[in-house]
Amino acid sequence: MTTEHLTGPWRAILADADGFVYPDFATALLELGAESEEEMQIRVARGTALPNDRGGKTGTLLRLPGSYTVGDQAYEIEAYLVDEDDPSIGAEARYAQALAMADGLNAAAARS
């Protein structure tokens, strides 16, 4: 059995609607504010679907790629940064799920 579909490393990615990537949920919350109604993108990706370095005057700026190879993204969902009505579907919960999914894919690849 070929395991090419499992190879990674897979990463969970949290980005705003414009594709700018945050290193973690706490940073996104700090920068966007706890009252933010920002819609976030949450992905599990590898290879060509990983964020690109769009370096600028202030340093490294990561942004989601405009296109990627089929198979390099396993999961994508949009969620509000803060969902006061149902936190279980907000960005924090969805990002935690994506982190677990990436860990699982990486573990499966290591076992094969």
Side-chain angles (χ1 to χ4, degrees), residues 6-7 9 11 17 19 29 33 40-41 47 59 70-71 74 81-83 89 91 93 96-97 111:
L6 294 174
T7 60
R11 282 189 36 213
L29 192 60
M40 305 299 287
Q41 300 178 55
V70 173
L81 180 66
V82 178
D83 193 317
I89 61 171
Q97 293 168 346
R111 279 183 278 168

Side-chain angles (χ1 to χ4, degrees), residues 34-90:
E35 302 299 319
S36 175
E37 294 184 13
E38 183 82 26
E39 196 164 296
M40 305 299 287
Q41 300 178 55
I42 297 116
R43 299 179 178 190
V44 175
R46 67 177 178 184
T48 62
L50 291 175
N52 297 319
D53 179 356
R54 306 275 178 98
K57 294 179 183 176
T58 59
T60 302
L61 181 63
L62 294 178
R63 195 159 186 200
L64 295 173
S67 63
Y68 51 87
T69 303
V70 173
D72 277 356
Q73 183 170 292
Y75 173 80
E76 177 180 16
I77 194 165
E78 292 179 356
Y80 289 104
L81 180 66
V82 178
D83 193 317
E84 293 177 0
D85 295 331
D86 187 356
S88 71
I89 61 171

